[in-house]
Every structure is written in structure tokens, then in C-alpha cells.
Amino acid sequence: AQSVTQLDSHVSVSEGTPVLLRCNYSSSYSPSLFWYVQHPNKGLQLLLKYTSAATLVKGINGFEAEFKKSETSFHLTKPSAHMSDAAEYFCVVSSGGTSYGKLTFGQGTILTVHP
Amino acid sequence: GAGVSQSPSNKVTEKGKDVELRCDPISGHTALYWYRQSLGQGLEFLIYFQGNSAPDKSGLPSDRFSAERTGGSVSTLTIQRTQQEDSAVYLCASSPSGTAYEQYFGPGTRLTVT
């Protein structure tokens, strides 16, 4: 079985300040982990992915995430928020075994960026 | 190149009617997935296709839901005797293989059951 917990349903930051979106996962197998972003009335877009290579993963638009197996975490960060980063972010896990090919989504974190 | 497309973009139907939702995956992608996004339930997996077969149907919520894929390409999700709780955005995704790497999502079909 696999699951994802996003620790904050809403995060609010000022433009130019750092962003931290927290995610913990549970998986019976070696997981693949993803962050997806969904802007209002838009489709889901892949930000970055971890698939057992480097534990620090860099994605698009300056985002990065670090896989920490000991903490079962995969937090998303960005050094400086931009107004265009306002969106909903989903942490996602996929495992092998019987769940092969199936993504399990967290509940989402809505990021608000203030001028 | 063309991404995943879904049709219709919006569908309003009366309770008890059947609906068909269509997904055109990225050309050459062998894996295809259906998800549902609704308030209170978040994003839920429905079904996974590898080619024309469906190794994992575990997310289909009831026997009113079915899906098929023909020619290893287009997929149709059918909901029979729709209920108000079926109202949601139905998302389709495709992937180059069944490894769940980089699923590419379509824009979704917003279904409203009145």
C-alpha cells in the first residue's frame, strides 16, 4: 500500500521569499515520487520527479525537492517565490508491485503569493 | 507535439443518463490512466491500461463505471445511470510505458450531473 500526506492545505508567502511545501509518504516498495502543479482551470503539469537517482531533484521554474528516506519526506522548495507560482501543488507517489503504474496523490497544497 | 486531449471539455447531464468521456493519449504512449478529481475526495485513481488490457481496475467506484481502450490508443470511460455524486473532473493521463514515469495529463472533462 502507498499513501501521501501533504502537511499543509494552504501556504501563504510574500513574493521574493522562500517556499516550503511539505510532503511525507508511505510505500511498501522503493517509491518514485513526483510533484505536480495545477494552475486554476489548467491541467496538471509535472514539476519534478525522483526515481532512485540523485536525492536532490531539480525541476522547472526554480523548484527543487529532496528525497529523505530516513524521514520518508519529499518536501518541495523554491528560494524566491514569484506571483506566477500561485497554484495548487500535489505530491504524488508511485510504487512497483501490484500498484504498478498507479499514482497516489496527496490532498494538495494551495500556494498563495502576496505582492 | 500534441498532448493528451479529452472530450468533451464540459458535460452536463441529467441524473440517470449514461455518459461517455473520451481520451486521446499522446501518440506512441502505451500506458493510459483515468483519474477523478472532486471536492472532498481529491484526485483518485480509477483505471490503468497497458495497451488494450486493463491490469488494474481497482479504482472504479462501482459497476456503473467501465472503460475500454481500442487499438492501443483512444480510450472511453462510460458512466451508466449517472448519479449526482459522479459530478467531478475526469482526468486522463498517458505514459510512454507502464513504469508510471512522467504521466502526461489532459485538460480533463468536467461532468455535472443535475
Side-chain angles (χ1 to χ4, degrees):
Chain A
Q2 57 194 30
S3 66
V4 176
T5 302
Q6 292 183 242
L7 299 170
D8 306 292
S9 58
H10 290 82
V11 170
S12 181
V13 301
S14 297
E15 190 175 20
T17 64
V19 176
L20 170 64
L21 305 183
R22 298 181 295 164
C23 171
N24 287 111
Y25 71 91
S26 172
S27 174
S28 302
Y29 300 88
S30 296
S32 295
L33 291 157
F34 309 82
W35 277 96
Y36 279 84
V37 61
Q38 187 174 37
H39 288 89
N41 300 314
K42 301 281 188 182
L44 284 159
Q45 180 184 18
L46 178 69
L47 269 182
L48 50 79
K49 63 180 180 181
Y50 165 78
T51 54
S52 76
T55 56
L56 182 62
V57 181
K58 294 188 184 298
I60 62 172
N61 301 334
F63 284 94
E64 62 182 38
E66 185 172 9
F67 173 71
K68 291 187 177 180
K69 185 175 181 179
S70 61
E71 299 176 9
T72 60
S73 70
F74 190 58
H75 301 334
L76 181 71
T77 60
K78 182 173 180 177
S80 176
H82 191 273
M83 296 295 291
S84 61
D85 295 329
E88 188 164 16
Y89 293 78
F90 294 93
C91 183
V92 183
V93 64
S94 175
S95 301
T98 57
S99 301
Y100 189 76
K102 168 178 147 182
L103 299 182
T104 299
F105 285 77
Q107 289 299 306
T109 298
I110 296 173
L111 175 65
T112 302
V113 182
H114 297 287
Chain B
V4 177
S5 62
Q6 294 185 245
S7 60
S9 56
N10 282 283
K11 176 72 176 179
V12 180
T13 190
E14 292 180 353
K15 178 181 172 181
K17 301 282 190 184
D18 298 351
V19 294
E20 286 189 351
L21 312 179
R22 177 186 168 106
C23 172
D24 280 277
I26 293 173
S27 178
H29 282 193
T30 59
L32 185 147
Y33 311 81
W34 283 98
Y35 297 87
R36 179 169 72 173
Q37 185 173 26
S38 55
L39 287 174
Q41 297 296 321
L43 266 149
E44 307 169 277
F45 166 84
L46 297 178
I47 187 170
Y48 155 56
F49 286 92
Q50 181 59 37
N52 290 335
S53 64
D56 190 348
K57 306 178 184 180
S58 62
L60 293 178
S62 75
D63 59 7
R64 296 185 296 104
F65 287 72
S66 62
E68 65 175 13
R69 189 179 185 194
T70 55
S73 181
V74 172
S75 177
T76 303
L77 177 69
T78 301
I79 309 173
Q80 296 179 308
R81 306 180 302 282
T82 52
Q83 303 294 314
Q84 288 187 332
E85 61 263 29
D86 299 334
S87 295
V89 177
Y90 290 82
L91 294 167
C92 176
S94 70
S95 173
S97 71
T99 60
Y101 288 12
E102 293 195 57
Q103 291 186 21
Y104 296 85
F105 283 81
T109 293
R110 181 175 298 277
L111 175 66
T112 304
V113 182
T114 62

